[in-house]
Amino acid sequence: MSETIESFLTAAHRTFVEVTRRAPDYFDGRPLRASDPPAGSARAVAAALGVRLSAVAAREFTAVDDLLDRRRRADGTGGTGGIDRADRADGTGCSGDSGPAGDWERWRRRQDRRAAFRAARAAHLARAMDHRVARHSGRAVRYRAGGRGPLLVLLTALGHTDEVWYPLADRLLPGRRVVMWDAGETGPYGQTWTLAGQLADFDAVLAAEGADRCDVIAWCSGAQIAVEYAHRRPAAVRAAVLLHGSYPRAGSDPSSAYERNLGAVCASVAARPGRAARALRALGGEAVPVPLPRDEHLAAVEVLARTPPGLDSVLRRPFRDARALAGYSRQLTELWRHPIPAAAAGLPPLLSLGAELDRVAAPEPPAALVPLLTAGHGLLVGATHYSMLDRPEVVAAVCGAFLDDPHKGPPAAGGPREVRWSTAAAPLTPSNSSSPSAPSTRK
């Protein structure tokens, strides 16, 4: 099937939205580049997006152009790449290659309305799900549950709430029973809730759901908790996806500057909690984006590496005040004292998914984890630590395909070209990542 203007424009629109959310003026004076675009694409892109399209060889691509190229060919057929049939049900959908400019403007507005509707539905997901309570050892674990089918646990990072999962959960709910909860911070008597407590919460939720087994998707420090749970309760975990996992690392392991500095800050505060207020001042407040470099290739990497906007209240939660930082520091320091478990018989299939431009967790897994990754390790091209919020449709496709058929090796379906896979003992190394030298409270 030949590529149509509409399928090309779908990929261009996704890329345009992702980039301009981070830098609204990015395409002022910068073109979007593509090799062999369908005839008429330049006019359609100009009409729909207000961007100049240049036809060039792939060697001239920036990171933004490469992302567009991967998206336009993601399904291997030149098809619509994810346009819902409902978009054409009212008869107003563009037929493709010969529509006037006004049609493409309406097409763009329709895509934006769909995206706004989906975002609003995800934002209100918590209200639509059941609010349930699991009890153990004098503790009440309040969790959300929705849908029917195989049980899927979404395990968040220490210090965070289940709000980080809403866009992804919205896409994974059909055909699954999805449960999620805030990471525990303190126990019944105010003590720090350690790894043992997090695992006990997990047990309690499964018991409350009447489930003997579940699938797991775990993010950041939650990934280490998921590995521990799978190691200690292998019969209880059918398969797990470790999303942008942050783990304890040996000196020879690749690690991000953020992980190294955050580990040092948390160890200091855990040893002397009175340092928390000073540490917060040293960490600084909200990160302010620096101007993009003039070099187009560097600018493309930088704009994709920026944290998606509008997430400050979600991502700053572990650093909301000195007391929160003190508790978070004790939790993270205690968690990172636990080495990654050794590979063992009966361990469920584990898939690791990192992000090429992750500036929080190292994109590569530590060496001790690699033997456990029976399904391999993949890197989301041009993505950040927050892909479940920024690219939920891609993460849902990869996770859904793997959980539908967990086996050795990356998922055969649902793995778009936005992911580079490695099944070798040596994990992939990202080509465009760079890390700031110090953590900020914008996690």
Side-chain angles (χ1 to χ4, degrees), residues 132 143-154 175-181 202 205-217 236-239 403:
R132 298 172 60 86
Y143 69 96
R144 306 183 203 274
R148 295 186 178 185
L151 185 64
L152 171 61
V153 170
L154 301 180
R176 292 182 174 87
R177 173 74 168 172
V178 176
V179 302
M180 54 190 178
W181 61 92
F202 204 139
V205 171
L206 259 61
E209 286 292 305
D212 297 322
R213 211 173 186 206
C214 68
D215 293 330
V216 182
I217 302 175
V237 178
R238 176 177 166 270
L403 296 177

PDB file of all heavy atoms in Angstrom, residues 132 143-154 175-181 202 205-217 236-239 403:
ATOM      1  N   ARG A 132     -11.105   1.330  46.195  1.00  0.00           N
ATOM      2  CA  ARG A 132     -11.140   0.154  47.057  1.00  0.00           C
ATOM      3  C   ARG A 132     -10.062   0.258  48.132  1.00  0.00           C
ATOM      4  O   ARG A 132      -9.146   1.086  48.034  1.00  0.00           O
ATOM      5  CB  ARG A 132     -10.957  -1.125  46.224  1.00  0.00           C
ATOM      6  CG  ARG A 132     -12.080  -1.328  45.208  1.00  0.00           C
ATOM      7  CD  ARG A 132     -11.791  -2.491  44.269  1.00  0.00           C
ATOM      8  NE  ARG A 132     -11.628  -3.748  44.972  1.00  0.00           N
ATOM      9  CZ  ARG A 132     -12.624  -4.561  45.309  1.00  0.00           C
ATOM     10  NH1 ARG A 132     -13.878  -4.236  45.022  1.00  0.00           N
ATOM     11  NH2 ARG A 132     -12.402  -5.700  45.931  1.00  0.00           N
ATOM     12  N   TYR A 143      -6.611   1.903  46.915  1.00  0.00           N
ATOM     13  CA  TYR A 143      -6.210   1.731  45.524  1.00  0.00           C
ATOM     14  C   TYR A 143      -7.399   1.906  44.598  1.00  0.00           C
ATOM     15  O   TYR A 143      -8.551   1.901  45.037  1.00  0.00           O
ATOM     16  CB  TYR A 143      -5.557   0.355  45.313  1.00  0.00           C
ATOM     17  CG  TYR A 143      -6.465  -0.847  45.421  1.00  0.00           C
ATOM     18  CD1 TYR A 143      -7.020  -1.424  44.280  1.00  0.00           C
ATOM     19  CD2 TYR A 143      -6.759  -1.428  46.654  1.00  0.00           C
ATOM     20  CE1 TYR A 143      -7.833  -2.548  44.367  1.00  0.00           C
ATOM     21  CE2 TYR A 143      -7.566  -2.545  46.752  1.00  0.00           C
ATOM     22  CZ  TYR A 143      -8.106  -3.111  45.602  1.00  0.00           C
ATOM     23  OH  TYR A 143      -8.916  -4.219  45.681  1.00  0.00           O
ATOM     24  N   ARG A 144      -7.114   2.108  43.335  1.00  0.00           N
ATOM     25  CA  ARG A 144      -8.149   2.266  42.309  1.00  0.00           C
ATOM     26  C   ARG A 144      -8.158   1.020  41.433  1.00  0.00           C
ATOM     27  O   ARG A 144      -7.099   0.431  41.162  1.00  0.00           O
ATOM     28  CB  ARG A 144      -7.888   3.507  41.456  1.00  0.00           C
ATOM     29  CG  ARG A 144      -7.721   4.782  42.256  1.00  0.00           C
ATOM     30  CD  ARG A 144      -7.534   5.973  41.321  1.00  0.00           C
ATOM     31  NE  ARG A 144      -6.853   7.082  41.979  1.00  0.00           N
ATOM     32  CZ  ARG A 144      -7.444   8.004  42.701  1.00  0.00           C
ATOM     33  NH1 ARG A 144      -8.752   7.963  42.875  1.00  0.00           N
ATOM     34  NH2 ARG A 144      -6.755   8.985  43.249  1.00  0.00           N
ATOM     35  N   ALA A 145      -9.330   0.646  40.976  1.00  0.00           N
ATOM     36  CA  ALA A 145      -9.460  -0.542  40.130  1.00  0.00           C
ATOM     37  C   ALA A 145     -10.535  -0.288  39.091  1.00  0.00           C
ATOM     38  O   ALA A 145     -11.534   0.385  39.349  1.00  0.00           O
ATOM     39  CB  ALA A 145      -9.813  -1.771  40.968  1.00  0.00           C
ATOM     40  N   GLY A 146     -10.317  -0.832  37.908  1.00  0.00           N
ATOM     41  CA  GLY A 146     -11.300  -0.672  36.841  1.00  0.00           C
ATOM     42  C   GLY A 146     -11.108  -1.708  35.769  1.00  0.00           C
ATOM     43  O   GLY A 146     -10.024  -2.280  35.609  1.00  0.00           O
ATOM     44  N   GLY A 147     -12.158  -1.977  35.027  1.00  0.00           N
ATOM     45  CA  GLY A 147     -12.091  -2.918  33.918  1.00  0.00           C
ATOM     46  C   GLY A 147     -12.259  -4.357  34.359  1.00  0.00           C
ATOM     47  O   GLY A 147     -12.296  -4.678  35.552  1.00  0.00           O
ATOM     48  N   ARG A 148     -12.328  -5.217  33.358  1.00  0.00           N
ATOM     49  CA  ARG A 148     -12.451  -6.651  33.604  1.00  0.00           C
ATOM     50  C   ARG A 148     -11.465  -7.399  32.728  1.00  0.00           C
ATOM     51  O   ARG A 148     -11.159  -6.979  31.618  1.00  0.00           O
ATOM     52  CB  ARG A 148     -13.875  -7.124  33.296  1.00  0.00           C
ATOM     53  CG  ARG A 148     -14.931  -6.539  34.221  1.00  0.00           C
ATOM     54  CD  ARG A 148     -16.282  -7.163  33.963  1.00  0.00           C
ATOM     55  NE  ARG A 148     -17.294  -6.641  34.869  1.00  0.00           N
ATOM     56  CZ  ARG A 148     -18.546  -7.085  34.914  1.00  0.00           C
ATOM     57  NH1 ARG A 148     -18.946  -8.043  34.075  1.00  0.00           N
ATOM     58  NH2 ARG A 148     -19.400  -6.561  35.780  1.00  0.00           N
ATOM     59  N   GLY A 149     -11.011  -8.532  33.249  1.00  0.00           N
ATOM     60  CA  GLY A 149     -10.070  -9.345  32.511  1.00  0.00           C
ATOM     61  C   GLY A 149      -8.871  -9.677  33.380  1.00  0.00           C
ATOM     62  O   GLY A 149      -8.920  -9.553  34.615  1.00  0.00           O
ATOM     63  N   PRO A 150      -7.754 -10.094  32.766  1.00  0.00           N
ATOM     64  CA  PRO A 150      -6.545 -10.401  33.537  1.00  0.00           C
ATOM     65  C   PRO A 150      -6.101  -9.197  34.358  1.00  0.00           C
ATOM     66  O   PRO A 150      -6.168  -8.067  33.900  1.00  0.00           O
ATOM     67  CB  PRO A 150      -5.511 -10.748  32.446  1.00  0.00           C
ATOM     68  CG  PRO A 150      -6.311 -11.115  31.245  1.00  0.00           C
ATOM     69  CD  PRO A 150      -7.572 -10.314  31.312  1.00  0.00           C
ATOM     70  N   LEU A 151      -5.629  -9.461  35.564  1.00  0.00           N
ATOM     71  CA  LEU A 151      -5.249  -8.378  36.467  1.00  0.00           C
ATOM     72  C   LEU A 151      -3.913  -7.775  36.047  1.00  0.00           C
ATOM     73  O   LEU A 151      -2.924  -8.487  35.837  1.00  0.00           O
ATOM     74  CB  LEU A 151      -5.151  -8.904  37.901  1.00  0.00           C
ATOM     75  CG  LEU A 151      -4.876  -7.850  38.983  1.00  0.00           C
ATOM     76  CD1 LEU A 151      -6.037  -6.866  39.076  1.00  0.00           C
ATOM     77  CD2 LEU A 151      -4.644  -8.515  40.339  1.00  0.00           C
ATOM     78  N   LEU A 152      -3.881  -6.441  35.946  1.00  0.00           N
ATOM     79  CA  LEU A 152      -2.671  -5.695  35.631  1.00  0.00           C
ATOM     80  C   LEU A 152      -2.417  -4.683  36.737  1.00  0.00           C
ATOM     81  O   LEU A 152      -3.263  -3.823  37.001  1.00  0.00           O
ATOM     82  CB  LEU A 152      -2.817  -4.975  34.287  1.00  0.00           C
ATOM     83  CG  LEU A 152      -1.708  -3.973  33.924  1.00  0.00           C
ATOM     84  CD1 LEU A 152      -0.349  -4.663  33.842  1.00  0.00           C
ATOM     85  CD2 LEU A 152      -2.034  -3.258  32.619  1.00  0.00           C
ATOM     86  N   VAL A 153      -1.260  -4.780  37.378  1.00  0.00           N
ATOM     87  CA  VAL A 153      -0.855  -3.852  38.436  1.00  0.00           C
ATOM     88  C   VAL A 153       0.072  -2.803  37.830  1.00  0.00           C
ATOM     89  O   VAL A 153       1.063  -3.140  37.176  1.00  0.00           O
ATOM     90  CB  VAL A 153      -0.136  -4.595  39.574  1.00  0.00           C
ATOM     91  CG1 VAL A 153       0.487  -3.602  40.552  1.00  0.00           C
ATOM     92  CG2 VAL A 153      -1.098  -5.519  40.303  1.00  0.00           C
ATOM     93  N   LEU A 154      -0.247  -1.527  38.046  1.00  0.00           N
ATOM     94  CA  LEU A 154       0.612  -0.419  37.651  1.00  0.00           C
ATOM     95  C   LEU A 154       1.316   0.076  38.908  1.00  0.00           C
ATOM     96  O   LEU A 154       0.675   0.622  39.812  1.00  0.00           O
ATOM     97  CB  LEU A 154      -0.209   0.697  37.000  1.00  0.00           C
ATOM     98  CG  LEU A 154      -1.008   0.295  35.756  1.00  0.00           C
ATOM     99  CD1 LEU A 154      -1.778   1.493  35.198  1.00  0.00           C
ATOM    100  CD2 LEU A 154      -0.108  -0.308  34.683  1.00  0.00           C
ATOM    101  N   GLY A 175     -10.277  -4.855  28.195  1.00  0.00           N
ATOM    102  CA  GLY A 175      -9.862  -6.248  28.262  1.00  0.00           C
ATOM    103  C   GLY A 175      -8.990  -6.601  29.440  1.00  0.00           C
ATOM    104  O   GLY A 175      -8.536  -7.745  29.556  1.00  0.00           O
ATOM    105  N   ARG A 176      -8.762  -5.639  30.362  1.00  0.00           N
ATOM    106  CA  ARG A 176      -7.933  -5.917  31.531  1.00  0.00           C
ATOM    107  C   ARG A 176      -8.574  -5.333  32.790  1.00  0.00           C
ATOM    108  O   ARG A 176      -9.309  -4.370  32.732  1.00  0.00           O
ATOM    109  CB  ARG A 176      -6.524  -5.315  31.374  1.00  0.00           C
ATOM    110  CG  ARG A 176      -5.673  -5.956  30.300  1.00  0.00           C
ATOM    111  CD  ARG A 176      -4.284  -5.326  30.258  1.00  0.00           C
ATOM    112  NE  ARG A 176      -3.422  -6.021  29.323  1.00  0.00           N
ATOM    113  CZ  ARG A 176      -3.347  -5.756  28.033  1.00  0.00           C
ATOM    114  NH1 ARG A 176      -4.083  -4.780  27.530  1.00  0.00           N
ATOM    115  NH2 ARG A 176      -2.543  -6.437  27.245  1.00  0.00           N
ATOM    116  N   ARG A 177      -8.241  -5.903  33.915  1.00  0.00           N
ATOM    117  CA  ARG A 177      -8.575  -5.352  35.226  1.00  0.00           C
ATOM    118  C   ARG A 177      -7.341  -4.600  35.706  1.00  0.00           C
ATOM    119  O   ARG A 177      -6.310  -5.214  36.043  1.00  0.00           O
ATOM    120  CB  ARG A 177      -8.937  -6.480  36.193  1.00  0.00           C
ATOM    121  CG  ARG A 177      -9.160  -6.065  37.648  1.00  0.00           C
ATOM    122  CD  ARG A 177     -10.461  -5.360  37.841  1.00  0.00           C
ATOM    123  NE  ARG A 177     -10.801  -5.212  39.269  1.00  0.00           N
ATOM    124  CZ  ARG A 177     -11.814  -4.487  39.700  1.00  0.00           C
ATOM    125  NH1 ARG A 177     -12.594  -3.824  38.832  1.00  0.00           N
ATOM    126  NH2 ARG A 177     -12.080  -4.399  40.984  1.00  0.00           N
ATOM    127  N   VAL A 178      -7.376  -3.280  35.716  1.00  0.00           N
ATOM    128  CA  VAL A 178      -6.217  -2.462  36.039  1.00  0.00           C
ATOM    129  C   VAL A 178      -6.341  -1.940  37.466  1.00  0.00           C
ATOM    130  O   VAL A 178      -7.384  -1.398  37.852  1.00  0.00           O
ATOM    131  CB  VAL A 178      -6.093  -1.279  35.057  1.00  0.00           C
ATOM    132  CG1 VAL A 178      -4.946  -0.366  35.463  1.00  0.00           C
ATOM    133  CG2 VAL A 178      -5.883  -1.796  33.632  1.00  0.00           C
ATOM    134  N   VAL A 179      -5.288  -2.109  38.262  1.00  0.00           N
ATOM    135  CA  VAL A 179      -5.257  -1.559  39.620  1.00  0.00           C
ATOM    136  C   VAL A 179      -3.994  -0.723  39.790  1.00  0.00           C
ATOM    137  O   VAL A 179      -2.950  -1.007  39.192  1.00  0.00           O
ATOM    138  CB  VAL A 179      -5.314  -2.660  40.701  1.00  0.00           C
ATOM    139  CG1 VAL A 179      -6.565  -3.499  40.554  1.00  0.00           C
ATOM    140  CG2 VAL A 179      -4.083  -3.542  40.662  1.00  0.00           C
ATOM    141  N   MET A 180      -4.108   0.332  40.592  1.00  0.00           N
ATOM    142  CA  MET A 180      -2.962   1.207  40.851  1.00  0.00           C
ATOM    143  C   MET A 180      -3.183   1.902  42.177  1.00  0.00           C
ATOM    144  O   MET A 180      -4.317   2.084  42.613  1.00  0.00           O
ATOM    145  CB  MET A 180      -2.803   2.216  39.714  1.00  0.00           C
ATOM    146  CG  MET A 180      -4.044   3.031  39.387  1.00  0.00           C
ATOM    147  SD  MET A 180      -3.822   3.975  37.859  1.00  0.00           S
ATOM    148  CE  MET A 180      -5.458   4.746  37.732  1.00  0.00           C
ATOM    149  N   TRP A 181      -2.077   2.316  42.805  1.00  0.00           N
ATOM    150  CA  TRP A 181      -2.176   2.992  44.090  1.00  0.00           C
ATOM    151  C   TRP A 181      -0.951   3.894  44.283  1.00  0.00           C
ATOM    152  O   TRP A 181       0.063   3.749  43.594  1.00  0.00           O
ATOM    153  CB  TRP A 181      -2.293   1.999  45.247  1.00  0.00           C
ATOM    154  CG  TRP A 181      -1.143   1.048  45.431  1.00  0.00           C
ATOM    155  CD1 TRP A 181      -0.056   1.224  46.221  1.00  0.00           C
ATOM    156  CD2 TRP A 181      -0.986  -0.247  44.822  1.00  0.00           C
ATOM    157  NE1 TRP A 181       0.771   0.141  46.157  1.00  0.00           N
ATOM    158  CE2 TRP A 181       0.224  -0.781  45.301  1.00  0.00           C
ATOM    159  CE3 TRP A 181      -1.752  -1.002  43.939  1.00  0.00           C
ATOM    160  CZ2 TRP A 181       0.699  -2.040  44.913  1.00  0.00           C
ATOM    161  CZ3 TRP A 181      -1.290  -2.249  43.537  1.00  0.00           C
ATOM    162  CH2 TRP A 181      -0.084  -2.755  44.024  1.00  0.00           C
ATOM    163  N   PHE A 202       1.630  -4.778  48.074  1.00  0.00           N
ATOM    164  CA  PHE A 202       1.365  -5.532  46.836  1.00  0.00           C
ATOM    165  C   PHE A 202       0.567  -6.795  47.166  1.00  0.00           C
ATOM    166  O   PHE A 202      -0.453  -7.095  46.535  1.00  0.00           O
ATOM    167  CB  PHE A 202       2.708  -5.877  46.184  1.00  0.00           C
ATOM    168  CG  PHE A 202       2.649  -6.117  44.708  1.00  0.00           C
ATOM    169  CD1 PHE A 202       3.639  -5.616  43.878  1.00  0.00           C
ATOM    170  CD2 PHE A 202       1.637  -6.863  44.124  1.00  0.00           C
ATOM    171  CE1 PHE A 202       3.614  -5.828  42.510  1.00  0.00           C
ATOM    172  CE2 PHE A 202       1.602  -7.090  42.764  1.00  0.00           C
ATOM    173  CZ  PHE A 202       2.590  -6.584  41.951  1.00  0.00           C
ATOM    174  N   VAL A 205      -3.089  -5.952  48.089  1.00  0.00           N
ATOM    175  CA  VAL A 205      -3.960  -5.593  46.965  1.00  0.00           C
ATOM    176  C   VAL A 205      -4.365  -6.838  46.185  1.00  0.00           C
ATOM    177  O   VAL A 205      -5.540  -6.994  45.807  1.00  0.00           O
ATOM    178  CB  VAL A 205      -3.262  -4.561  46.051  1.00  0.00           C
ATOM    179  CG1 VAL A 205      -4.073  -4.347  44.775  1.00  0.00           C
ATOM    180  CG2 VAL A 205      -3.081  -3.243  46.783  1.00  0.00           C
ATOM    181  N   LEU A 206      -3.419  -7.743  45.944  1.00  0.00           N
ATOM    182  CA  LEU A 206      -3.775  -8.974  45.239  1.00  0.00           C
ATOM    183  C   LEU A 206      -4.808  -9.770  46.024  1.00  0.00           C
ATOM    184  O   LEU A 206      -5.764 -10.322  45.453  1.00  0.00           O
ATOM    185  CB  LEU A 206      -2.519  -9.825  44.993  1.00  0.00           C
ATOM    186  CG  LEU A 206      -1.946  -9.744  43.566  1.00  0.00           C
ATOM    187  CD1 LEU A 206      -1.526  -8.329  43.237  1.00  0.00           C
ATOM    188  CD2 LEU A 206      -0.785 -10.708  43.396  1.00  0.00           C
ATOM    189  N   ALA A 207      -4.627  -9.828  47.347  1.00  0.00           N
ATOM    190  CA  ALA A 207      -5.591 -10.558  48.172  1.00  0.00           C
ATOM    191  C   ALA A 207      -6.957  -9.895  48.120  1.00  0.00           C
ATOM    192  O   ALA A 207      -7.995 -10.582  48.026  1.00  0.00           O
ATOM    193  CB  ALA A 207      -5.080 -10.634  49.617  1.00  0.00           C
ATOM    194  N   ALA A 208      -6.992  -8.574  48.174  1.00  0.00           N
ATOM    195  CA  ALA A 208      -8.271  -7.857  48.112  1.00  0.00           C
ATOM    196  C   ALA A 208      -8.973  -8.081  46.783  1.00  0.00           C
ATOM    197  O   ALA A 208     -10.201  -8.090  46.709  1.00  0.00           O
ATOM    198  CB  ALA A 208      -8.043  -6.368  48.343  1.00  0.00           C
ATOM    199  N   GLU A 209      -8.198  -8.270  45.716  1.00  0.00           N
ATOM    200  CA  GLU A 209      -8.764  -8.528  44.395  1.00  0.00           C
ATOM    201  C   GLU A 209      -9.099 -10.001  44.193  1.00  0.00           C
ATOM    202  O   GLU A 209      -9.673 -10.369  43.166  1.00  0.00           O
ATOM    203  CB  GLU A 209      -7.791  -8.069  43.312  1.00  0.00           C
ATOM    204  CG  GLU A 209      -7.711  -6.566  43.150  1.00  0.00           C
ATOM    205  CD  GLU A 209      -9.007  -5.996  42.586  1.00  0.00           C
ATOM    206  OE1 GLU A 209      -9.449  -6.444  41.513  1.00  0.00           O
ATOM    207  OE2 GLU A 209      -9.590  -5.109  43.240  1.00  0.00           O
ATOM    208  N   GLY A 210      -8.739 -10.845  45.157  1.00  0.00           N
ATOM    209  CA  GLY A 210      -8.980 -12.278  45.011  1.00  0.00           C
ATOM    210  C   GLY A 210      -8.180 -12.899  43.890  1.00  0.00           C
ATOM    211  O   GLY A 210      -8.616 -13.848  43.237  1.00  0.00           O
ATOM    212  N   ALA A 211      -6.978 -12.381  43.666  1.00  0.00           N
ATOM    213  CA  ALA A 211      -6.151 -12.808  42.549  1.00  0.00           C
ATOM    214  C   ALA A 211      -4.913 -13.549  43.056  1.00  0.00           C
ATOM    215  O   ALA A 211      -4.284 -13.143  44.034  1.00  0.00           O
ATOM    216  CB  ALA A 211      -5.728 -11.616  41.710  1.00  0.00           C
ATOM    217  N   ASP A 212      -4.567 -14.613  42.365  1.00  0.00           N
ATOM    218  CA  ASP A 212      -3.343 -15.350  42.667  1.00  0.00           C
ATOM    219  C   ASP A 212      -2.181 -14.901  41.787  1.00  0.00           C
ATOM    220  O   ASP A 212      -1.024 -15.181  42.093  1.00  0.00           O
ATOM    221  CB  ASP A 212      -3.551 -16.851  42.465  1.00  0.00           C
ATOM    222  CG  ASP A 212      -4.600 -17.424  43.402  1.00  0.00           C
ATOM    223  OD1 ASP A 212      -4.640 -16.977  44.561  1.00  0.00           O
ATOM    224  OD2 ASP A 212      -5.367 -18.306  42.972  1.00  0.00           O
ATOM    225  N   ARG A 213      -2.513 -14.194  40.686  1.00  0.00           N
ATOM    226  CA  ARG A 213      -1.489 -13.875  39.692  1.00  0.00           C
ATOM    227  C   ARG A 213      -1.838 -12.561  39.007  1.00  0.00           C
ATOM    228  O   ARG A 213      -3.012 -12.203  38.892  1.00  0.00           O
ATOM    229  CB  ARG A 213      -1.431 -15.000  38.655  1.00  0.00           C
ATOM    230  CG  ARG A 213      -0.065 -15.242  38.046  1.00  0.00           C
ATOM    231  CD  ARG A 213      -0.102 -16.471  37.186  1.00  0.00           C
ATOM    232  NE  ARG A 213       1.220 -16.816  36.707  1.00  0.00           N
ATOM    233  CZ  ARG A 213       1.453 -17.492  35.599  1.00  0.00           C
ATOM    234  NH1 ARG A 213       0.424 -17.891  34.852  1.00  0.00           N
ATOM    235  NH2 ARG A 213       2.681 -17.771  35.224  1.00  0.00           N
ATOM    236  N   CYS A 214      -0.811 -11.869  38.531  1.00  0.00           N
ATOM    237  CA  CYS A 214      -1.054 -10.595  37.855  1.00  0.00           C
ATOM    238  C   CYS A 214       0.070 -10.312  36.872  1.00  0.00           C
ATOM    239  O   CYS A 214       1.143 -10.921  36.920  1.00  0.00           O
ATOM    240  CB  CYS A 214      -1.170  -9.464  38.868  1.00  0.00           C
ATOM    241  SG  CYS A 214       0.392  -9.099  39.722  1.00  0.00           S
ATOM    242  N   ASP A 215      -0.195  -9.377  35.979  1.00  0.00           N
ATOM    243  CA  ASP A 215       0.847  -8.749  35.178  1.00  0.00           C
ATOM    244  C   ASP A 215       1.235  -7.439  35.864  1.00  0.00           C
ATOM    245  O   ASP A 215       0.459  -6.882  36.646  1.00  0.00           O
ATOM    246  CB  ASP A 215       0.346  -8.457  33.762  1.00  0.00           C
ATOM    247  CG  ASP A 215       0.084  -9.720  32.964  1.00  0.00           C
ATOM    248  OD1 ASP A 215       0.774 -10.731  33.211  1.00  0.00           O
ATOM    249  OD2 ASP A 215      -0.810  -9.701  32.092  1.00  0.00           O
ATOM    250  N   VAL A 216       2.422  -6.937  35.547  1.00  0.00           N
ATOM    251  CA  VAL A 216       2.923  -5.727  36.202  1.00  0.00           C
ATOM    252  C   VAL A 216       3.565  -4.811  35.166  1.00  0.00           C
ATOM    253  O   VAL A 216       4.286  -5.271  34.280  1.00  0.00           O
ATOM    254  CB  VAL A 216       3.968  -6.057  37.294  1.00  0.00           C
ATOM    255  CG1 VAL A 216       4.429  -4.780  37.996  1.00  0.00           C
ATOM    256  CG2 VAL A 216       3.412  -7.044  38.302  1.00  0.00           C
ATOM    257  N   ILE A 217       3.284  -3.512  35.280  1.00  0.00           N
ATOM    258  CA  ILE A 217       4.083  -2.481  34.624  1.00  0.00           C
ATOM    259  C   ILE A 217       4.560  -1.561  35.738  1.00  0.00           C
ATOM    260  O   ILE A 217       3.747  -1.036  36.501  1.00  0.00           O
ATOM    261  CB  ILE A 217       3.285  -1.684  33.579  1.00  0.00           C
ATOM    262  CG1 ILE A 217       2.713  -2.610  32.506  1.00  0.00           C
ATOM    263  CG2 ILE A 217       4.177  -0.625  32.934  1.00  0.00           C
ATOM    264  CD1 ILE A 217       1.809  -1.897  31.504  1.00  0.00           C
ATOM    265  N   ALA A 236       3.285 -15.412  41.549  1.00  0.00           N
ATOM    266  CA  ALA A 236       2.261 -14.372  41.573  1.00  0.00           C
ATOM    267  C   ALA A 236       2.370 -13.409  40.403  1.00  0.00           C
ATOM    268  O   ALA A 236       1.449 -12.622  40.172  1.00  0.00           O
ATOM    269  CB  ALA A 236       2.335 -13.591  42.889  1.00  0.00           C
ATOM    270  N   VAL A 237       3.472 -13.444  39.673  1.00  0.00           N
ATOM    271  CA  VAL A 237       3.688 -12.517  38.559  1.00  0.00           C
ATOM    272  C   VAL A 237       3.775 -13.311  37.265  1.00  0.00           C
ATOM    273  O   VAL A 237       4.648 -14.160  37.100  1.00  0.00           O
ATOM    274  CB  VAL A 237       4.974 -11.684  38.762  1.00  0.00           C
ATOM    275  CG1 VAL A 237       5.202 -10.757  37.575  1.00  0.00           C
ATOM    276  CG2 VAL A 237       4.881 -10.879  40.051  1.00  0.00           C
ATOM    277  N   ARG A 238       2.863 -13.019  36.364  1.00  0.00           N
ATOM    278  CA  ARG A 238       2.860 -13.704  35.065  1.00  0.00           C
ATOM    279  C   ARG A 238       3.905 -13.109  34.132  1.00  0.00           C
ATOM    280  O   ARG A 238       4.617 -13.832  33.429  1.00  0.00           O
ATOM    281  CB  ARG A 238       1.463 -13.596  34.450  1.00  0.00           C
ATOM    282  CG  ARG A 238       1.331 -14.186  33.054  1.00  0.00           C
ATOM    283  CD  ARG A 238      -0.124 -14.090  32.591  1.00  0.00           C
ATOM    284  NE  ARG A 238      -0.230 -14.328  31.168  1.00  0.00           N
ATOM    285  CZ  ARG A 238      -0.160 -13.375  30.237  1.00  0.00           C
ATOM    286  NH1 ARG A 238       0.034 -12.117  30.615  1.00  0.00           N
ATOM    287  NH2 ARG A 238      -0.260 -13.662  28.956  1.00  0.00           N
ATOM    288  N   ALA A 239       4.014 -11.785  34.087  1.00  0.00           N
ATOM    289  CA  ALA A 239       4.985 -11.089  33.255  1.00  0.00           C
ATOM    290  C   ALA A 239       5.063  -9.649  33.751  1.00  0.00           C
ATOM    291  O   ALA A 239       4.119  -9.140  34.362  1.00  0.00           O
ATOM    292  CB  ALA A 239       4.583 -11.130  31.783  1.00  0.00           C
ATOM    293  N   LEU A 403       2.377  -8.214  27.047  1.00  0.00           N
ATOM    294  CA  LEU A 403       1.571  -8.874  28.070  1.00  0.00           C
ATOM    295  C   LEU A 403       0.554  -9.832  27.458  1.00  0.00           C
ATOM    296  O   LEU A 403       0.152 -10.809  28.100  1.00  0.00           O
ATOM    297  CB  LEU A 403       0.870  -7.829  28.935  1.00  0.00           C
ATOM    298  CG  LEU A 403       1.803  -6.926  29.748  1.00  0.00           C
ATOM    299  CD1 LEU A 403       1.010  -5.880  30.515  1.00  0.00           C
ATOM    300  CD2 LEU A 403       2.689  -7.736  30.689  1.00  0.00           C
TER     301      LEU A 403
END
